[in-house]
Amino acid sequence: MLDPNDAIHNRAQHILRSAWSCTLLYDQSPFESQCMIDPRSGDFIIAVVKDAFDATDITIASPKDSFDTRVRISVELFETTTEEQRDRFTAYHLPSTTPLLAIGKFQYAKIDSGEVVTPEQCELRNPVLSVMGPLCKALNADRSRLSSLCSMITGVAHDSPLAVGVDDTGIDIRARFGLVRLILPDPITDPDSAMGTIEQLLESADA
């Protein structure tokens, strides 16, 4: 197995961090689902069916199981989730009913270009988790300015944007028609500089 270069690593990290809709394959049985990265552990929080816990082969195909799916992620399922993890899932997906959630411990992932990455090669834990709450609060203080920021970064105007997560490489936005990831122009290098980076981005969106 070849180690992916930096460009591949960065792309894999982006694909994994924006893996929100998926097909859960448990011993090849499909279940259309939703998931997200737990920023504290770097593992996946995923809606499951009870039978999945008895399966020996668990794969997450995102955005769905198809010939050209972006990524296939091998995980090990665990039944216990914390209140914090359940609240994060709800903030991202707003499920109409409370789903059965599980933790999918990330083992390895194969992206659409053929490379395989492991947790050691592709860090998914959020290094600015300690300040994520204040960062989201600052982004959401002026929703019209946040909308301008979405347009500036993605080139698309998103209705009713709400920042639900911030990490060192991007901002996760819940908009009217789904989740959107804004890639930061430059990574946040440490929590102390995070607020300054976000404030500069918001000022740029006003310009």
Side-chain angles (χ1 to χ4, degrees):
M1 184 188 303
L2 297 176
D3 289 337
N5 61 30
D6 288 344
I8 292 170
H9 165 271
N10 291 340
R11 182 170 183 268
Q13 186 186 60
H14 166 68
I15 289 172
L16 289 165
R17 281 181 166 170
S18 56
W20 296 313
S21 62
C22 66
T23 305
L24 174 69
L25 296 163
Y26 56 102
D27 289 344
Q28 299 305 309
S29 297
F31 174 66
E32 300 307 315
S33 186
Q34 295 171 313
C35 61
M36 62 168 293
I37 295 290
D38 175 17
R40 193 174 299 280
S41 68
D43 294 318
F44 287 82
I45 307 170
I46 182 168
V48 301
V49 289
K50 189 68 176 177
D51 288 349
F53 293 115
D54 297 324
T56 58
D57 181 22
I58 306 291
T59 301
I60 301 170
S62 180
K64 64 180 181 178
D65 183 32
S66 64
F67 176 75
D68 59 349
T69 194
R70 292 183 79 192
V71 64
R72 293 182 182 274
I73 310 156
S74 177
V75 299
E76 182 180 0
L77 283 189
F78 293 89
E79 294 190 51
T80 302
T81 57
T82 66
E83 182 177 0
E84 178 185 37
Q85 290 166 334
R86 294 189 293 273
D87 287 347
R88 291 197 189 283
F89 185 93
T90 298
Y92 273 65
H93 293 293
L94 293 179
S96 56
T97 59
T98 303
L100 175 63
L101 295 179
I103 296 302
K105 187 171 180 58
F106 175 36
Q107 297 180 318
Y108 62 87
K110 184 175 183 178
I111 59 176
D112 52 10
S113 51
E115 290 81 12
V116 174
V117 294
T118 65
E120 293 75 24
Q121 296 166 323
C122 189
E123 179 59 70
L124 297 179
R125 289 174 296 183
N126 186 350
V128 299
L129 177 61
S130 62
V131 295
M132 186 170 68
L135 295 177
C136 287
K137 184 176 181 179
L139 287 161
N140 293 328
D142 186 337
R143 303 285 287 281
S144 63
R145 190 161 69 159
L146 179 58
S147 182
S148 296
L149 180 62
C150 291
S151 297
M152 182 183 77
I153 293 179
T154 68
V156 177
H158 295 284
D159 293 337
S160 305
L162 182 75
V164 291
V166 181
D167 55 58
D168 55 320
T169 61
I171 302 167
D172 294 338
I173 300 291
R174 193 185 73 221
R176 186 183 302 276
F177 297 109
L179 290 160
V180 180
R181 184 161 173 84
L182 309 183
I183 300 298
L184 297 174
D186 298 296
I188 297 172
T189 56
D190 64 80
D192 291 339
S193 67
M195 187 60 75
T197 298
I198 295 302
E199 289 174 347
Q200 287 177 7
L201 281 174
L202 291 170
E203 289 172 3
S204 297
D206 282 337

